[in-house]
Each structure stands twice: as structure tokens, then as C-alpha cells.
Amino acid sequence: MTASAAERVMISSPADLGPDLIAAVAGGTVRAGLAPGLLAALAENRAAVLAALDGDQPVYGVNTGMGALAGVRLDAGAQTRHQNTLMAGRSVGSAPWLSRARARALLAVRLRDLLHPAAGASPELCSNVAALLDADVIPAIPARGSGAAGEIIPLAHAGAALIGIGQVLDEAGRAADAGPALETAGLRPYSFGAKEGVAFLEGVPGLTGLAVLSARAARTLIDQVTAVVAAEHVVARASRDPWHPAFAAADPELRSVLDTLRGPGGPAVPGALQAPVSFRVSAPALAVALRAAGELEAAIGRALDGVTDSPAFLEGRFVGSAGFAGTDLVAAAGTLTAALVHLAELGVARLHRLLDADVTGLTRQLSDTPGVHAGMVAVHKRAAGVAHRLRRFAGAALIGPVETSAGQEDVQSFGFEAAECLDEVISGLRDVLACEILALHQASLLGASAAAPAAGITGLTGDAGLAEFAGVAGLAGLAGRLPASTRDRPFGRDLDVIIQILETG
């Protein structure tokens, strides 16, 4: 289900709140409401949950403690307070906070999870979460330090804001008391009913929501890298032999990349029998990244459709689960992270080749006056430094369990850490790509051929320049934004312009 900007969408079933709508809600361009029929179904399911709780059977986190204290039974008074108390004692995080868009993505996925019958949530709880999003009252949710089996710490912060004892983000992104913010928005603090606090703390809505945003950003970035690779082949006079369609016979992602790289144009005249390896292997690396993005999207779909509550209300009884672990998403995010790091490394290598006069036939270091002006050599050094930094984020977040909760939680999937690594690498690859685009611009001004129909290239700065990548999101906006000069200048300012255009897509 998709919605246009400023449209109010009524959700009739949990499936309506899919990745597209989650991204739109995160961006604040869509407001989501709950249809009357869905609210009625929630009320009916909630009645069944309350009936199942009416007895002396122990139910984890409802009439017992949690973690290593699950053997402690709660009396009636403690049970009444327990669901709210769960939020207070677990709100141990602090800045840096998730951005507003990322926190909204978490809330959107949390709403999707609570709509599932297994959560046993009331229509009132779901309506209150939707109201937070609608009023743009966004909890201050810590971006780091979630060393639990699941996302208990960040979700406790979201729940504490909902009940009025936590914090929300002000317009400057700083944490402020939730109570006054709720009152200003015309909202009343919510009080969690039986089992609702436990349901709010379970699952991986944070990692799921962050993955939705990152998968979309990665798709855009991979398309942009593909366009840049095509342009670099022109400047480097690289052979198009590695783009032969036969090489993709058993690989649909590679076939898609090669079709894009070849485009409608004829073959370029190579400057050497064999191009540098970084050019020859770029297409397979792009295919790997595309496949990894698809795997993350598939894992997102499984997370949205799966049962993440524990205990889950299934077939009239409460069943413990492992849906809070997020193992599938963490593994998929790590695979995409590694693939994007590799693209950054290849970008640095291709950029270095563009500084070689023997490869391009242009001046050394793409300097208009070698020895007087440095050209692109320091731009390449920046790219190398960024790529080196990205390597530290390629470590698998699944590795490295630490015992907590007196041994009750002896393994963590570290989902927020996996999301942070992916986000850092997306930003870093964008930085490296900006360095490559600036070098292409410099090369075109120094006389590289602009006759590149295969890359869909026209002009970056009027009649001169090589990089308005027609039809590629986020690159057409470069036209006229960079100086038509090859002389040394503070190139970092140019890179900032390119990065902003790449990021906004």
C-alpha cells in the first residue's frame, strides 16, 4: 500500500502498513489512521486475551517478573503497576538519539506489530501509538547501548514517552520532558494494560524500521554508483569486454547491472587490451550489492509478517518465542554492509586509476598544471581515508555475545549496532562516490570525451563537464552546481554539494 504526500491512509489490516507506507510515515509525508473494522477486531482479540489472563497460570512479564526474576510472582497490586514500571527501570539510555525519521520508523513498525493478534494489544494502545505519530510527538530513543536480547532499552524509552514519564525530541532534536509535550499536542498519557507493556518491549521494530530506510537508501546509492562506473569507463578508456551479456547468463542481478552499463550506445574504443581489475570487477560487485539489498528487503518482509511477541498469544494460550532476537535482519544487514564497503574500496581504486595519465590520456593527477596545482590527488586521499574507516563497520554484529541478566540473557543479536554499521557505510560510500564524481567533472573539463551515450551523460556545467547522469535519481541536480574551473580550490565545498544531491536523491 502506498500513499501520496500529505494523504491520510486508513489501515484496515496489519499488512497495509508495509515498507512503503512505513517509509512514508517515517518521512512525515503520510498520516496513518486505524479503520473501524480493524479497531473492532483488536477489541475482540483483546477480550480473548483478558479472558486467558483471568486465572492463576503464570504468564511471563504479566504476573511474574522478567529475565532472571521470572520466578517471582506478582500480587494483584504489583500487577496493576507492573506494565508501566517495566518502562521506567529499563529507560537507561541517553544521547545520541535516533533522528526523528528513524524514531518515527520504529513507531510505525511497533504499531504494525501491535496490530498482530499475537501481541494481544488493545485498540486504545494502538490508537495512542498512531496518535503520537499523527501529532509528531516523537520519543527520544537512544541510538546506542542496546545490550539486551532484543530492543528492550530503546523500546522502554518509547514506552516511557507514551505514558508521560519519558522524553521526546524537541524541534532541535534535543530531549525534553514528554508530559508537557503530550499536553501541548492535546494528548493524554497512556497507561499500559495487562500484558501491553511486555508486548511493547518485545520484538525488533527499531531494527526493522531502520532497515526499511537503509534498504531504500542503499538501492538509490547502488543505482548512482552504477552510473558513475559507466562514466569512469569512458574517462579511463576501459574495455567493455567484461560487460558481455554472456557473463550474466545465470545471474539476474548481474544481467540488470550490465544492461544498465551497456545502455543504448555502441562500444567504446579501449585504451588498453585489459582495463584495471577495479574496473573489470565493478559490475559483479554491484550485482552482489543488489542481491544483498534484496536479501535485506526479504528479511524485512519476514520480520513484518512474523510473530515477534514473547509471550505471544497463540491459539488461546501464551507461548514464549525467540522473535525478539532479530537474527535474520542482523545477518542480512551485515551482508549488505560488507557489500557496500567493497563498493567503496573499488571506488577508491578506480579513482586512483583516473589520476594516471597512462590510463586516461589526460594530465597527471587530473591537474591542469601538474606540479603547480595538485588536481585530484588530495580528493583521492580523502576517499582512501573514508574507505579505511568503513572497514571497521564490516564486522558481523551477530558475533560477540555477552551474558546479562544473571545469565538469563546469554546471547544478543545487537540489532541497533547492525543498523548503525549499515548507516555509517551508506554515508561513507556516498562520500567516496562524491569524490569520484568530482574527478569525473575535472576530467571532462580537461578534455575527456563527453560522447558517452552508454552512460547517459550530458553536461554538468553547461557545455563543459561530464556528469549530469540523465535519468539517475539525485545526479541530474548537479547541473550548474560545480565551478567550470580546473584550478585548485577548496574542493571540500564541491564535495559537500555533491553529497547533498546524492543524499536527497
Side-chain angles (χ1 to χ4, degrees):
M1 182 181 221
T2 59
S4 60
E7 182 181 358
R8 184 169 181 82
V9 176
M10 297 305 292
I11 300 171
S12 299
S13 72
D16 288 347
L17 199 48
D20 288 343
L21 188 54
I22 288 168
V25 170
T29 59
V30 170
R31 297 185 303 152
L34 304 180
L38 179 57
L39 292 172
L42 287 168
E44 182 179 354
N45 186 69
R46 179 65 177 168
V49 169
L50 294 177
L53 290 173
D54 188 16
D56 194 43
Q57 185 71 20
V59 179
Y60 177 76
V62 178
N63 53 24
T64 76
M66 293 186 69
L69 301 179
V72 177
R73 294 296 296 269
L74 306 179
D75 60 29
Q79 289 182 43
T80 301
R81 301 184 299 271
H82 187 53
Q83 300 303 300
N84 284 350
T85 304
L86 289 173
M87 308 301 156
R90 289 158 180 79
S91 296
V92 298
S94 54
W97 310 109
L98 292 180
S99 69
R100 297 185 72 86
R102 286 172 168 77
R104 288 179 64 89
L106 179 152
L107 284 179
V109 177
R110 177 76 298 169
L111 177 58
R112 160 80 183 245
D113 294 337
L114 292 173
L115 295 175
H116 195 293
S122 68
E124 291 78 17
L125 172 56
C126 297
S127 296
N128 271 264
V129 175
L132 276 187
L133 287 165
D134 202 24
D136 200 31
V137 177
I138 305 305
I141 300 172
R144 297 174 184 164
S146 182
E151 299 177 354
I152 289 176
I153 293 172
L155 292 176
H157 280 263
L162 186 66
I163 64 177
I165 67 170
Q167 294 177 302
V168 298
L169 297 176
D170 64 15
E171 292 182 357
R174 297 170 302 212
D177 287 342
L182 291 172
E183 184 177 358
T184 299
L187 303 176
R188 299 181 62 182
Y190 184 74
S191 183
F192 288 109
K195 193 192 173 297
E196 289 189 320
V198 179
F200 198 89
L201 292 178
E202 296 293 351
V204 285
L207 174 56
T208 307
L210 298 178
V212 167
L213 301 183
S214 293
R216 296 168 73 89
R219 285 279 187 186
T220 297
L221 189 53
I222 293 167
D223 287 346
Q224 292 167 341
V225 173
T226 304
V228 169
V229 168
E232 288 173 333
H233 265 71
V234 175
V235 174
R237 305 176 296 173
S239 169
R240 291 159 56 98
D241 282 356
W243 296 353
H244 194 287
F247 296 131
D251 189 335
E253 287 81 14
L254 182 56
R255 186 182 311 116
S256 174
V257 170
L258 295 183
D259 287 346
T260 301
L261 290 174
R262 284 194 303 272
V269 177
L273 182 60
Q274 292 234 329
V277 171
S278 57
F279 284 79
R280 287 151 55 193
V281 302
S282 288
L286 284 162
V288 168
L290 278 178
R291 194 153 37 246
E295 290 168 357
L296 179 58
E297 290 162 346
I300 290 168
R302 290 190 290 270
L304 291 174
D305 290 336
V307 174
T308 61
D309 200 66
S310 183
F313 184 62
L314 300 173
E315 300 174 346
R317 66 188 188 93
F318 298 98
V319 182
S321 82
F324 54 82
T327 308
D328 187 18
L329 276 170
V330 172
T335 299
L336 179 56
T337 299
L340 297 182
V341 171
H342 185 49
L343 286 184
E345 292 176 330
L346 288 176
V348 173
R350 291 191 308 270
L351 176 55
H352 202 195
R353 300 285 75 79
L354 295 184
L355 307 189
D356 188 340
D358 291 337
V359 172
T360 65
L362 301 173
T363 54
R364 296 166 62 188
Q365 297 183 177
L366 295 178
S367 167
D368 64 354
T369 312
V372 177
H373 288 161
M376 294 288 102
V377 65
V379 171
H380 174 255
K381 291 179 185 295
R382 169 172 169 169
V386 171
H388 180 269
R389 176 178 179 272
L390 297 185
R391 290 170 183 157
R392 74 188 66 172
F393 299 111
L398 276 176
I399 297 173
V402 180
E403 283 202 356
T404 64
S405 191
Q408 172 67 17
E409 294 185 11
D410 51 7
V411 173
Q412 300 84 17
S413 55
F414 294 111
F416 267 44
E417 287 71 15
E420 181 182 20
C421 288
L422 179 53
D423 186 55
E424 289 283 352
V425 169
I426 287 172
S427 296
L429 175 55
R430 193 179 288 123
D431 196 325
V432 171
L433 188 61
C435 294
E436 296 176 73
I437 290 173
L438 184 59
L440 288 172
H441 173 56
Q442 183 87 344
S444 68
L445 295 175
L446 291 171
S449 172
I457 297 167
T458 56
L460 180 64
T461 54
D463 294 333
L466 214 190
E468 181 184 345
F469 298 80
V472 179
L475 296 179
L478 286 166
R481 297 287 299 275
L482 300 181
S485 170
T486 57
R487 299 179 67 83
D488 281 1
R489 58 183 181 273
F491 287 117
R493 299 175 186 176
D494 298 341
L495 293 171
D496 286 343
V497 170
I498 299 170
I499 289 169
Q500 181 184 25
I501 293 172
L502 291 171
E503 186 173 11
T504 56

